[in-house]
Amino acid sequence: MLRFEGVDLHYGSFRALSDVTLHAAPGELVVLLGANGAGKTSIFMAASGIQRPSAGCIRLENKDITGRRPAQIVASGLVHCPEGRKLFPLLSVRRNLLLGAYLHRRDKAAVARMLDEVFALFPMLAHRQNVPAGSLSGGQQQMVAIGRALLGRPKVLLLDEPSLGLAPLIVRQVFAVIERINQQGTTVLLAEQNACLALAIAHRAYVLERGRIALEGGRDALLHNEAVRAAYIGA
Ligand code: ATP
């Protein structure tokens, strides 16, 4: 579904990604683990066309999307839900959500259907759809960010640190919804520092260290890997 082959990414002379090869098969939920600065966001920036790789190839459903414009990539079915949510705080929750459907705006019936699906996943957003997004709690804002991404009708959804800054109970709710989105058929690539929770819902995971893939494996193998436990999970 999504495949990186030998991808390098530079910021000026700094090499943020080195020879990254990874994939997410259709229907998979794949987790990217790594410390701050390991390169997780850079992988998403490259996939969604915000940063252009300096080497290698990125394929979506076997189509080469390397270096394409972000709007073309969204139209092909890859949608990026960024770290820090990046909502428009003064716009209503509903307007923020509808921005995600910008490419499909002429298909009003489909947009209304998708909006209903998002409200079914996050009933609280239906009740608060007319308030400014900036007035919501962090967890509710994360739900808006995920809902906005879903309105882009992703085949592959990139979720960058959705648990950042949220209380543990809210994190569990957000992760339960991510698992449900995946079970409904969307392929998910999830970058997370909360390794324990992320691996609990993952099929497979990659560990990134200083821009390189250091380890990859199935959920159970990584959960029981001593280096992973020491670095990301603890006792
Ligand atoms: P975090 O969880 O802190 O966001 P990350 O694993 O997502 O970390 P990246 O944000 O991809 O890591 O950053 C990888 C490296 O690239 C870091 O050393 C970072 O400082 C650097 N970097 C990221 N964006 C830029 C930029 N726009 N210009 C220069 N260097 C950058």
Side-chain angles (χ1 to χ4, degrees):
M1 184 57 111
L2 177 68
R3 185 173 289 277
F4 275 53
E5 284 163 15
V7 171
D8 289 356
L9 180 73
H10 286 79
Y11 299 107
S13 59
F14 177 72
R15 192 176 188 180
L17 296 179
S18 301
D19 196 21
V20 168
T21 293
L22 58 78
H23 74 278
E28 268 195 318
L29 195 161
V30 176
V31 165
L32 290 179
L33 298 176
N36 279 334
K40 304 179 296 297
T41 298
S42 298
I43 286 181
F44 286 180
M45 294 294 199
S48 56
I50 298 168
Q51 296 288 348
R52 197 189 179 95
S54 34
C57 175
I58 303 169
R59 293 181 191 280
L60 180 66
E61 293 186 303
N62 281 328
K63 230 172 30 189
D64 188 350
I65 59 164
T66 325
R68 290 221 185 150
R69 285 185 295 113
Q72 281 180 302
I73 292 175
V74 173
S76 305
L78 184 140
V79 181
H80 178 179
C81 181
E83 181 176 349
R85 311 188 261 275
K86 307 283 194 288
L87 300 181
F88 293 89
L90 299 179
L91 294 184
S92 68
V93 166
R94 186 183 179 87
R95 300 266 321 263
N96 269 279
L97 289 170
L98 289 174
L99 282 171
Y102 182 77
L103 290 178
H104 310 293
R105 63 195 180 282
R106 289 197 180 83
D107 191 351
K108 291 200 164 57
V111 172
R113 213 170 40 245
M114 277 306 300
L115 199 55
D116 284 345
E117 283 179 28
V118 167
F119 288 149
L121 274 176
F122 301 110
M124 180 276 312
L125 296 186
H127 300 302
R128 310 217 58 197
Q129 56 180 297
N130 296 315
V131 308
S135 69
L136 299 185
S137 69
Q140 293 167 342
Q141 291 193 28
Q142 185 61 56
M143 293 170 193
V144 178
I146 295 174
R148 178 182 59 186
L150 291 176
L151 277 154
R153 295 196 217 159
K155 295 175 190 163
V156 179
L157 177 61
L158 309 181
L159 290 170
D160 198 352
E161 304 273 4
S163 76
L164 205 67
L166 305 186
L169 182 66
I170 309 298
V171 172
R172 282 175 196 282
Q173 289 172 5
V174 169
F175 272 58
V177 171
I178 294 169
E179 189 174 26
R180 200 155 137 214
I181 292 167
N182 173 247
Q183 285 167 349
Q184 289 172 352
T186 306
T187 304
V188 175
L189 192 55
L190 169 66
E192 256 299 327
Q193 304 246 359
N194 193 331
C196 213
L197 276 182
L199 287 175
I201 62 169
H203 297 110
R204 287 189 305 112
Y206 294 87
V207 178
L208 261 180
E209 279 174 13
R210 276 168 281 145
R212 290 182 182 277
I213 303 287
L215 200 61
E216 87 173 88
R219 178 241 324 259
D220 292 337
L222 288 193
L223 267 173
H224 296 110
N225 180 292
E226 286 203 8
V228 170
R229 294 192 74 83
Y232 301 104
I233 297 178

